[in-house]
Amino acid sequence: MSNASLSPLPSADRPDVTARLRDALLGASFTADGLLELLGAPAYAALSRSETVPALRATRGDTPLELLVRLFLLQQPVLHARVEDVLPVDACLDGGWLVRVGDDEVAATVDVRPYGGPDGEDWFIVSDLGCAVGGAGGIGNRAEGVVLGVGGASMTLAGLTVRTPVSAALDLGTGSGIQALHAAVHATRVTATDVNPRALHTAALTLALSGARPADLREGSLYAPIDDDETYDLIVSNPPFVISPGARLTYRDGGMGGDDLCRSLVQQTGERLNEGGFAHFLANWQHVEGEDWTDRLRSWVPRGCDAWIVQREVQDVTQYAELWLRDAGDHRGDAAEYQARYDAWLDEFEARKVRAVGFGWITLRRTAAAEPSITAEEWPHPIEQPLGETVRAHFDRVDYLRAHDDAALLEAHFLLAPEVVQEQVGLPGAEDPEHVVLRQNRGMRRATRVDTVGAGFAGVCDGTMSAGRILDAIAQLVGEDPVALRDRTPAQIRLLVEQGFLEPA
């Protein structure tokens, strides 16, 4: 499809209309909380699965909120006479938010989804028709330049971003503008780029309708719209990371071969970050025959940057191709065309010796350290969002451990991190457990096995005694040579600090 099949967007140069529309939406409780209260949890959750029937059933009345949900979220036309007491209808028609349908109805030209900000803000995400429900899975219009609403990937990136006050933030590939909207809360200046001019227009609408400050919107791919001397304290990107044969859909296909787009994005970021600045990316990467995926990702990290790379999921090439063919609706079309496209994906992977594709996030931090730290790990287990504070704390611990050798660790004081519990695993009735596990109930929700010394050490870390004195006391208690215990335990202490079980006091 071409962009000709997309509806004209509302005007981005009518702040008076946008402000009146925002006031009307808020006045009718067209908010994330209001939506949940109206629909109930099951119907609300169904929207994320692209299922609208429960929500349609819950909005059969004539209350202002029901009318707005049907109009802006469920893409249903409503009677002009019913909505004129709820919205400034004539202004919305004039500003392009609504169009007339038949003689007596109006319909929305864009989807508007209520979205709750991190501090209780009432925001609205604007997207193309059919894109507000279910993220990518809810798209009814597969036009090349279609602009998505809020999906799981968008919320994942927003949740793991470090949120500290910064002077300048950059959102690469802004789409509907959700990352720029989050950044506007804690950044003095926000720049947002996208190769799709329709996305930039939509992002401007999202920011305006949410009552946020405007961003500096620039058209172009990756860092192309950014001047050579421009640097940032925060860079975020949910790029078109899908590894596909060709570039059919702008919102997902980057147009470069394999995972080159994600690699280029990461490699070019180092020189754009200010000292201490963070960059957060979602990405896909290839698992190539005969190559360790962690080595591949480590080679992407630019010089002068610490990195934390987390692989959340791995799919074999058939699963991956099927996922994105379904995303484009190809499985519902002509069978021969579907098979040809499936073959093209597998041909591409075979030519590149790709056996699987990984998905996860990459965080960079600009550092002046002589030896930057790169952590690459697989963590498919449940986590607790938002994760931004956990990410920031990870890099703080990197700095701490880089500055403390084993002797310094033994002189240091530590605290057991909040909400860490101990589990003992063994046969029923056995005198001693087979092993002891420390488990976090927050953040990454890690679990790590420790020996009895490690468990005892962690249990008494309340900041009052140095690590060395604790080990001396444990040695006396278990009848072990204190010098030998001091020699072998710092590695375990270092691991517990690195993973966040222990915090410097």
Side-chain angles (χ1 to χ4, degrees):
M1 294 186 190
S2 69
N3 286 349
S5 61
L6 295 169
S7 300
L9 293 172
S11 172
D13 300 320
R14 293 294 303 274
D16 55 327
V17 175
T18 305
R20 291 178 65 189
L21 175 57
R22 173 176 170 78
D23 289 342
L25 298 179
L26 293 176
S29 296
F30 186 66
T31 63
D33 290 341
L35 196 64
L36 178 59
E37 184 176 351
L38 171 68
L39 301 182
Y44 188 82
L47 292 177
S48 67
R49 302 191 299 270
S50 310
E51 297 291 346
T52 59
V53 172
L56 287 168
R57 290 174 60 86
T59 56
R60 289 180 289 192
D62 283 336
T63 67
L65 181 55
E66 287 171 298
L67 291 171
L68 292 177
V69 171
R70 292 177 71 86
L71 182 64
F72 284 115
L73 195 62
L74 302 177
Q75 302 91 48
Q76 301 296 307
V78 301
L79 288 171
H80 185 291
R82 288 184 179 177
V83 79
E84 62 184 356
D85 292 333
V86 181
L87 291 173
V89 177
D90 290 340
C92 288
L93 287 166
D94 185 50
W97 291 93
L98 300 176
V99 292
R100 297 186 185 276
V101 180
D103 296 330
D104 55 0
E105 290 184 319
V106 295
T109 58
V110 289
D111 285 357
V112 177
R113 174 173 171 176
Y115 180 80
D119 296 315
E121 300 94 343
D122 289 316
W123 290 340
F124 302 99
I125 309 301
V126 180
S127 59
D128 273 314
L129 290 174
C131 298
V133 173
I139 300 172
N141 188 332
R142 295 292 166 164
E144 178 186 339
V146 70
V147 181
L148 295 190
V150 182
S154 300
M155 290 187 283
T156 294
L157 179 60
L160 65 88
T161 299
V162 174
R163 301 294 176 191
T164 54
V166 296
S167 296
L170 173 62
D171 176 15
L172 290 170
T174 189
S176 59
I178 181 174
Q179 308 304 330
L181 184 57
H182 275 277
V185 174
H186 62 102
T188 304
R189 176 172 57 88
V190 177
T191 301
T193 72
D194 205 291
V195 71
N196 182 5
R198 187 176 181 87
L200 296 174
H201 189 136
T202 304
L205 296 174
T206 289
L207 291 166
L209 193 59
S210 298
R213 296 192 313 275
D216 178 5
L217 302 172
R218 307 184 191 180
E219 183 180 345
S221 177
L222 301 182
Y223 287 106
I226 306 303
D227 294 337
D228 291 341
D229 60 348
E230 289 183 281
T231 56
Y232 297 86
D233 309 297
L234 173 67
I235 298 174
V236 295
S237 184
N238 178 17
F241 53 66
V242 176
I243 300 171
S244 60
R248 290 173 56 204
L249 299 171
T250 304
Y251 74 85
R252 71 169 203 193
D253 301 321
M256 297 186 186
D259 51 18
D260 283 353
L261 183 137
C262 291
R263 176 186 55 78
S264 297
L265 178 60
V266 173
Q267 288 181 335
Q268 294 173 24
T269 295
E271 61 191 29
R272 303 293 186 176
L273 273 179
N274 292 326
E275 189 71 32
F278 284 93
H280 304 272
F281 309 109
L282 299 187
N284 276 181
W285 44 79
Q286 298 173 152
H287 284 228
V288 179
E289 183 178 340
E291 180 181 359
D292 188 288
W293 74 267
T294 61
D295 292 338
R296 183 179 190 84
L297 271 292
R298 287 172 181 274
S299 73
W300 293 6
V301 178
R303 296 174 62 182
C305 287
D306 293 325
W308 185 18
I309 301 162
V310 180
Q311 181 166 270
R312 296 287 290 157
E313 185 180 1
V314 180
Q315 292 183 319
D316 67 46
V317 292
T318 59
Q319 292 174 311
Y320 188 81
E322 290 161 13
L323 169 68
W324 293 108
L325 287 167
R326 291 193 186 99
D327 170 81
D330 293 325
H331 63 302
R332 294 190 293 266
D334 180 76
E337 186 176 352
Y338 173 80
Q339 181 175 342
R341 285 180 171 161
Y342 200 148
D343 268 333
W345 284 69
L346 297 185
D347 286 344
E348 178 83 2
F349 286 133
E350 184 176 348
R352 294 178 177 274
K353 298 183 179 180
V354 176
R355 297 294 174 258
V357 177
F359 170 81
W361 67 70
I362 299 171
T363 299
L364 305 178
R365 185 191 58 169
R366 189 75 182 176
T367 180
E371 295 185 18
S373 166
I374 301 176
T375 300
E377 61 176 319
E378 186 164 13
W379 190 255
H381 311 294
I383 60 172
E384 182 190 47
Q385 285 275 34
L387 206 64
E389 181 57 26
T390 299
V391 173
R392 185 200 59 76
H394 167 87
F395 287 94
D396 285 348
R397 294 193 300 271
V398 166
D399 286 341
Y400 179 86
L401 292 173
R402 193 156 41 199
H404 289 72
D405 60 15
D406 287 354
L409 284 182
L410 293 175
E411 294 297 320
H413 295 236
F414 297 99
L415 295 168
L416 184 65
E419 299 198 40
V420 172
V421 297
Q422 176 178 305
E423 299 174 357
Q424 297 187 172
V425 181
L427 293 173
E431 183 175 347
D432 296 313
E434 292 180 13
H435 59 264
V436 178
V437 174
L438 299 182
R439 187 178 301 277
Q440 301 167 346
N441 286 320
R442 303 295 301 273
M444 292 293 285
R445 292 180 172 169
R446 295 188 186 277
T448 189
R449 290 178 60 170
V450 292
D451 58 19
T452 54
V453 171
F457 179 88
V460 297
C461 279
D462 60 3
T464 59
M465 296 174 60
S466 70
R469 288 187 60 193
I470 293 174
L471 291 178
D472 291 344
I474 291 175
Q476 185 175 8
L477 185 65
V478 300
E480 188 169 340
D481 178 11
V483 175
L485 192 60
R486 278 175 171 255
D487 284 344
R488 69 177 176 85
T489 306
Q492 190 169 189
I493 297 174
R494 190 171 292 276
L495 179 63
L496 292 175
V497 173
E498 179 183 330
Q499 296 190 341
F501 289 95
L502 295 178
E503 300 174 349

